[in-house]
Amino acid sequence: MHAPMIVFDRVSKNFGNLPVLRDINLTVSAGEVISLIGPSGSGKSTLLRCVNHLERIDSGSVTVDGELIGYRRAGNHAHELPEKLIAKQRARIGMVFQNFNLFGHKTALENVMEAPVHVLRIPREEAKERAIQLLTRVGLSDKMQNYPRMLSGGQQQRVAIARALAMKPKVILFDEPTSALDPELVGEVLEVMRDLASDGMTMMVVTHEMSFAREVCHRIAFMEGGRIVECGKPAEVLDNPAFERTRAFLSRVQ
Amino acid sequence: MLTYVPARAWGTRVAAVMLSLAVVYFLVSIAGNANFGWAVVGEYLFDARILSGFYLTIWLTLVTMVIGVVLGTVFAVMAMSGNVVISTVANAYIWFFRGTPVLVQLIFWYNLGALFPELSLGIPFTDWGVSVPTNTLISPITAAVLGLGLNEGAYMSEIIRSGLLAVDPGQRQAATSLGMTARKALWRIVLPQAMPVIIPPTGNQTIGMLKTSSLVSVISLSDLLYSAQTIYSRNFQTIPLLIVACLWYLFATTILSWLQSRIERHFARSRNTST
């Protein structure tokens, strides 16, 4: 493993009076694939969404590649960054959603080209060439002119991954990427993710796919009640959990 | 080998025949009734005053709808703002202009000079700036554009707001997580997908405005209806001239409906299932 890529330092967050993240410390190295597992409401998705400042944290800090996310430090204050600078940080942090969220009014190709052209200001021809490469890589070279509603869930999610890759992200966050898919379509999406992992992409994956977590991830973090209960190699966490709560959760999902 | 014979819907056929007979009878009785004054209709259909009235009606409709859409977009976005002051101002605007008759608003703008004899542009609470008498600024046409446009903005903002709400919030999230600012996400991702929801009621509003604009006769603007009224107040051919006006209104409505279906088809292209 290499240098730290994502660092959570004593991160806490509340929704009103309800604490959803409590004192989270976690370091994800460059090239590492880590999955977050745990019961619903345990804070996995919220933790993921703090990485690109879709959620504000109440205390602590999140850094990506050494850069403090969402804030600028000045003395003992952290001032929230102006929208444009936050947008700039987000541009290099890919995100893949449970419900794909492909742009419905754009074809698969246009979905992948949209942000490179209109955010990074890459010339259209260059962006198109790269989008074609990426869609080919995820196995959709024959679906480039299709609109999202003409694609299956698995195909849509692969377009969404290509769309994230088009921004040349430092990390990609996956928020339950296969939870909305029919069972027979899960494999094709996991296949693409496995390919990314072997390519050295830093990935944080909130998932319920234990077999994927076991085979592909370097580490698994089990969360409950806004805390990381335990974190370690898949074999340790899944086969020999140190805590009873982890054991109880695993017995319910496996 | 069997030959399949679909069931005949005899009831429907009988109804259709009877309906056609009724329509023919209706048309014949109108065409044959001398009181309708079809000759007079023909005489005035392309009268210069009628045509210039029609032109003003179309002009007012288009200008006020453009103002309505622009104001509506601004106020829709404001109404959805997280800032209480901004959303309250937008909602108050919508409340006021939807809550008062547009006829009253027209007369109000026309008589603005009675409330503010002078209008000035400058820095508030200082004597910096320029002043002009209100009545030189507010002509009947500006009063009409202001009255109809501001009123339309209130209705359009509700239509646009419903369109924006119809777009899945995930779209905005996906756009911002790709590094778009809220403004860019609105223009490039959210608004285009709100269009299929916004266009049909906007078409409705445009056709409504075509006819609502006839209210400007109260501030003595010669739109289509007012021109017809001016003519029949002299020659007492009331019915034929109203028919002339209606024919032009129907003509404009037909064109607008056709335009609307073209625009709808354009924005529906991503909904088609064939490539």
Side-chain angles (χ1 to χ4, degrees), chain B residues 4-180:
Chain B
Y4 289 91
V5 184
R8 299 265 148 76
W10 289 111
T12 314
R13 290 182 177 192
V14 170
V17 169
M18 286 172 63
L19 205 55
S20 326
L21 286 175
V23 168
V24 169
Y25 175 74
F26 180 67
L27 290 178
V28 167
S29 64
I30 288 177
N33 186 336
N35 293 336
F36 275 94
W38 291 108
V40 184
V41 170
E43 191 183 323
Y44 282 100
L45 192 57
F46 296 103
D47 186 283
R49 288 164 290 179
I50 293 288
L51 289 182
S52 85
F54 178 66
Y55 171 77
L56 180 68
T57 292
I58 295 291
W59 185 88
L60 265 181
T61 303
L62 296 182
V63 169
T64 52
M65 281 311 293
V66 168
I67 294 174
V69 168
V70 171
L71 283 180
T73 310
V74 171
F75 282 103
V77 172
M78 283 172 69
M80 293 164 78
S81 161
N83 184 299
V84 185
V85 176
I86 294 175
S87 65
T88 305
V89 166
N91 285 317
Y93 165 85
I94 294 164
W95 169 79
F96 182 81
F97 284 96
R98 286 203 310 173
T100 53
V102 65
L103 181 61
V104 175
Q105 291 172 32
L106 279 174
I107 299 172
F108 175 86
W109 288 112
Y110 188 54
N111 292 299
L112 192 67
L115 283 176
F116 299 101
E118 291 212 315
L119 289 181
S120 40
L121 187 68
I123 299 164
F125 310 115
T126 67
D127 47 11
W128 260 71
V130 286
S131 284
V132 283
T134 302
N135 285 335
T136 63
L137 214 60
I138 303 283
S139 66
I141 198 93
T142 40
V145 167
L146 273 174
L148 295 175
L150 287 170
N151 183 72
E152 191 56 32
Y155 284 93
M156 281 309 302
S157 84
E158 288 293 272
I159 290 171
I160 291 168
R161 196 169 64 92
S162 71
L164 294 179
L165 288 175
V167 178
D168 183 69
Q171 293 287 312
R172 203 182 290 257
Q173 268 181 30
T176 45
S177 75
L178 283 166
M180 290 192 198

Side-chain angles (χ1 to χ4, degrees), chain A residues 6-229:
Chain A
I6 309 173
V7 179
F8 298 90
D9 183 21
R10 287 166 297 153
V11 171
S12 295
K13 178 177 178 62
N14 304 305
F15 284 139
N17 287 327
L18 181 77
V20 282
L21 296 177
R22 308 186 209 211
D23 206 30
I24 300 277
N25 288 296
L26 180 69
T27 301
V28 183
S29 307
E32 189 180 12
V33 180
I34 185 166
S35 73
L36 302 175
I37 62 169
S40 61
S42 59
K44 317 176 293 273
S45 290
T46 309
L47 185 67
L48 199 70
R49 292 158 61 86
C50 289
V51 179
N52 62 359
H53 204 61
L54 281 182
E55 300 281 357
R56 278 198 186 94
I57 58 177
D58 292 336
S59 65
S61 68
V62 180
T63 49
V64 173
D65 202 14
E67 199 177 342
L68 184 63
I69 293 298
Y71 296 91
R72 174 177 58 83
R73 211 167 262 149
N76 54 359
H77 284 74
H79 299 276
E80 191 168 24
L81 292 171
E83 194 197 4
K84 283 207 165 142
L85 292 182
I86 293 176
K88 210 165 193 177
Q89 293 183 329
R90 284 182 180 140
R92 293 294 185 198
I93 301 171
M95 186 150 198
V96 173
F97 299 87
Q98 181 176 356
N99 296 317
F100 330 130
N101 294 343
L102 289 185
F103 303 136
H105 60 311
K106 296 190 174 289
T107 62
L109 185 66
E110 289 166 345
N111 262 278
V112 180
M113 288 169 63
E114 175 68 21
V117 172
H118 293 281
V119 176
L120 301 181
R121 306 272 172 209
I122 290 173
R124 179 164 281 277
E125 278 313 306
E126 197 183 321
K128 184 173 177 182
E129 205 171 296
R130 185 159 157 73
I132 292 172
Q133 281 172 13
L134 288 168
L135 284 168
T136 309
R137 176 173 176 188
V138 299
L140 291 172
S141 52
D142 55 335
K143 301 285 182 190
M144 290 192 283
Q145 300 306 327
N146 289 29
Y147 286 97
R149 70 181 59 210
M150 296 137 69
L151 299 172
S152 74
Q155 291 168 338
Q156 288 191 52
Q157 195 60 299
R158 285 186 281 154
V159 175
I161 294 172
R163 180 174 70 173
L165 286 173
M167 299 296 281
K168 301 195 172 137
K170 296 172 182 170
V171 303
I172 303 186
L173 314 169
F174 292 85
D175 193 358
E176 304 203 20
T178 57
S179 299
L181 297 177
D182 291 338
E184 79 270 24
L185 301 178
V186 169
E188 63 190 63
V189 171
L190 293 182
E191 192 52 49
V192 171
M193 291 169 64
R194 194 169 286 140
D195 174 48
L196 287 182
S198 65
D199 221 31
M201 176 62 73
T202 311
M203 295 157 68
M204 267 185 95
V205 187
V206 172
T207 188
H208 296 295
E209 293 291 330
M210 294 304 153
S211 58
F212 173 80
R214 179 190 296 276
E215 289 165 40
V216 180
C217 295
H218 302 107
R219 275 193 301 164
I220 295 179
F222 171 69
M223 287 185 74
E224 195 185 61
R227 287 199 175 85
I228 293 181
V229 176

